[in-house]
Amino acid sequence: MLRVVVGLLFLLIAATKLIGTADTVDYFEAIGWGQWFRYLTGSLDLVGAVLLFVPRRTFYGAVVLISSVGTATVLSVTVLSLDPPTQLALIPD
């Protein structure tokens, strides 16, 4: 059940990145790496979410998603100078 919920959430996250909604365009512009990185991370989120639904590949999906979320957290703290408690609490800046 948890795999399905997490998988559906990351499918939504991937869709927002690939479509360019929910301030994702501004976020990736602020990072300074361009929109190609938004498409890359959106694709990785999509692949990771799909792998969560495949029983023998769940581990690999989790690794992809952990890498994506970890990279986003590091970039938010280092490049955008957002404080870690704000990132962990998911409170908008």
Side-chain angles (χ1 to χ4, degrees):
M1 181 71 178
L2 183 60
R3 283 188 316 167
V4 172
V5 172
V6 172
L8 290 173
L9 287 173
F10 272 97
L11 283 176
L12 178 65
I13 291 168
T16 60
K17 288 180 184 176
L18 293 173
I19 294 170
T21 59
D23 299 325
T24 56
V25 174
D26 295 335
Y27 177 80
F28 284 93
E29 283 297 321
I31 292 173
W33 288 5
Q35 295 304 306
W36 69 270
F37 192 62
R38 176 174 59 94
Y39 289 115
L40 175 67
T41 58
S43 299
L44 288 174
D45 288 345
L46 180 64
V47 169
V50 169
L51 287 175
L52 287 181
F53 296 117
V54 181
R56 291 183 168 218
R57 301 291 182 241
T58 300
F59 173 78
Y60 301 110
V63 169
V64 169
L65 295 174
I66 288 169
S67 300
S68 176
V69 170
T71 302
T73 303
V74 168
L75 287 173
S76 293
V77 171
T78 58
V79 175
L80 300 179
S81 301
L82 300 177
D83 59 303
T86 300
Q87 290 298 306
L88 293 174
L90 300 175
I91 299 170
D93 194 31

